[in-house]
Amino acid sequence: GAVVSQHPSWVICKSGTSVKIECRSLDFQATTMFWYRQFPKQSLMLMATSNEGSKATYEQGVEKDKFLINHASLTLSTLTVTSAHPEDSSFYICSAAAGTGSGNTIYFGEGSWLTVV
Amino acid sequence: AQSVTQLGSHVSVSEGALVLLRCNYSSSVPPYLFWYVQYPNQGLQLLLKYTSAATLVKGINGFEAEFKKSETSFHLTKPSAHMSDAAEYFCAVARSGGYQKVTFGIGTKLQVIP
């Protein structure tokens, strides 16, 4: 079946540095990918919609200059957390839609744990 | 606008007992509905989805859910709980015909007591 892979699974970075998380669709092309973050004991909150070849669409309240999203190919979207701070520590998870219409299924990556120290 | 409400952030059942996790949705258009499971320190795994076909949807691991439009509900059930079912379960809604936004419920943590 379709698989979405995220890398790295775990990352620790120093405050003020930037960190990049990759989201790949391994056996299907995804023109649209989605980035979520999940704080402990909370639900997933959509951060942005990543569109291949165009700018990402950010949800209200998400800083586009802090969370840079690049969707350079049909199988890869990246999320870069710039000038990370401890409050950015969270679980980041991406998803991609495979297929169209009622056959469409959303697949989620394994998620990436970011700890900013 | 769309939203989901999961009643009960924590549910405990005995091993072998019925599992019932409640989800009510709100959507201005016919919805697609999903149940996802998240095991500790892992990503999300799709349990089942409703996409306007059969109202009773069967998923993996013996779970099923029934779409009831009159009640705007999509409750998740399993006849007999297993220890391995202990996890967090998320109900989610999306617009039918498109997957531009998936809105998740807050999640229900299922505890299975031996």
Side-chain angles (χ1 to χ4, degrees), chain B residues 19-75:
Chain B
V19 175
L20 171 60
L21 304 182
R22 299 177 185 275
C23 173
N24 288 89
Y25 71 90
S26 172
S27 177
S28 56
V29 298
Y32 284 175
L33 293 160
F34 312 85
W35 275 99
Y36 286 88
V37 60
Q38 185 180 34
Y39 296 101
N41 302 323
Q42 294 186 28
L44 295 177
Q45 181 180 6
L46 179 67
L47 275 178
L48 49 80
K49 64 177 179 178
Y50 165 78
T51 56
S52 73
T55 56
L56 180 62
V57 182
K58 294 186 183 297
I60 62 172
N61 302 336
F63 285 94
E64 63 181 38
E66 186 172 8
F67 172 70
K68 292 186 176 180
K69 185 178 179 180
S70 60
E71 299 177 8
T72 61
S73 69
F74 191 58
H75 302 330

Side-chain angles (χ1 to χ4, degrees), chain A residues 35-56:
Chain A
W35 285 96
Y36 295 82
R37 67 186 299 183
Q38 183 184 30
F39 291 105
K41 300 183 180 180
Q42 295 188 28
S43 188
L44 288 82
M45 299 299 295
L46 180 64
M47 298 175 65
T49 302
S50 172
N51 304 298
E52 188 270 335
S54 64
K55 292 182 178 180

Side-chain angles (χ1 to χ4, degrees), chain A residues 26-107:
Chain A
L26 297 185
D27 55 0
F28 65 97
Q29 294 183 330
T31 56
T32 304
M33 292 184 174
F34 306 90
W35 285 96
Y36 295 82
R37 67 186 299 183
Q38 183 184 30
F39 291 105
K41 300 183 180 180
Q42 295 188 28
S43 188
L44 288 82
M45 299 299 295
L46 180 64
M47 298 175 65
T49 302
S50 172
N51 304 298
E52 188 270 335
S54 64
K55 292 182 178 180
T57 304
Y58 290 82
E59 294 300 300
Q60 191 173 9
V62 177
E63 299 176 61
K64 58 183 68 177
D65 293 331
K66 180 169 186 63
F67 298 100
L68 301 180
I69 291 173
N70 184 281
H71 196 153
S73 77
L74 288 172
T75 60
L76 174 64
S77 175
T78 60
L79 168 68
T80 301
V81 183
T82 63
S83 186
H85 290 281
E87 57 265 31
D88 298 324
S89 299
S90 185
F91 184 61
Y92 293 87
I93 192 166
C94 71
S95 71
T100 59
S102 62
N104 202 332
T105 297
I106 300 172
Y107 295 93

